Amino acid sequence: MSKVTIWSCEIEGFKNTRKGTNIAAQVKAISICIKAIERGYKTVRVRVRGLGPSRLSAIKSPEMAGMKPRKQRKL
């Protein structure tokens, strides 16, 4: 298993408390998937940690970006 990229919500422009919102998680997941598509990946494995409203958004976002989520794991 290799890491494609490391990305944070601050790179997308979300600061302080806005980093924990579901919109920030969705934008971050879509950005990572776009980078993965550019590098030739077709599937992605989603791993979500912690509690909050952003869990579901982070899991559903790869489908919106055009990738197939292989496995969804909630810790």
Side-chain angles (χ1 to χ4, degrees), residues 5-6 11 13 15 22 26 28-29 31 37-42 59 63 65 74:
T5 185
I6 296 174
I11 294 172
K15 305 278 183 185
N22 55 354
Q26 182 177 357
K28 178 181 172 183
S31 297
I37 290 170
E38 289 173 0
R39 293 183 183 195
Y41 289 87
K42 294 180 183 173
I59 291 172
E63 294 175 2
K74 298 175 186 175

Side-chain angles (χ1 to χ4, degrees), residues 18-59:
R18 292 181 59 207
K19 291 190 297 185
T21 62
N22 55 354
I23 296 170
Q26 182 177 357
V27 169
K28 178 181 172 183
I30 290 173
S31 297
I32 290 172
C33 289
I34 289 171
K35 294 281 184 186
I37 290 170
E38 289 173 0
R39 293 183 183 195
Y41 289 87
K42 294 180 183 173
T43 60
V44 66
R45 183 176 294 176
V46 178
R47 181 176 166 191
V48 180
R49 296 188 317 179
L51 299 173
S54 58
R55 291 173 61 97
L56 188 61
S57 296
I59 291 172

Side-chain angles (χ1 to χ4, degrees), residues 7-16 18-19 24 27:
W7 209 257
S8 79
C9 292
E10 289 185 15
I11 294 172
E12 296 294 329
F14 294 97
K15 305 278 183 185
N16 300 327
R18 292 181 59 207
K19 291 190 297 185
V27 169

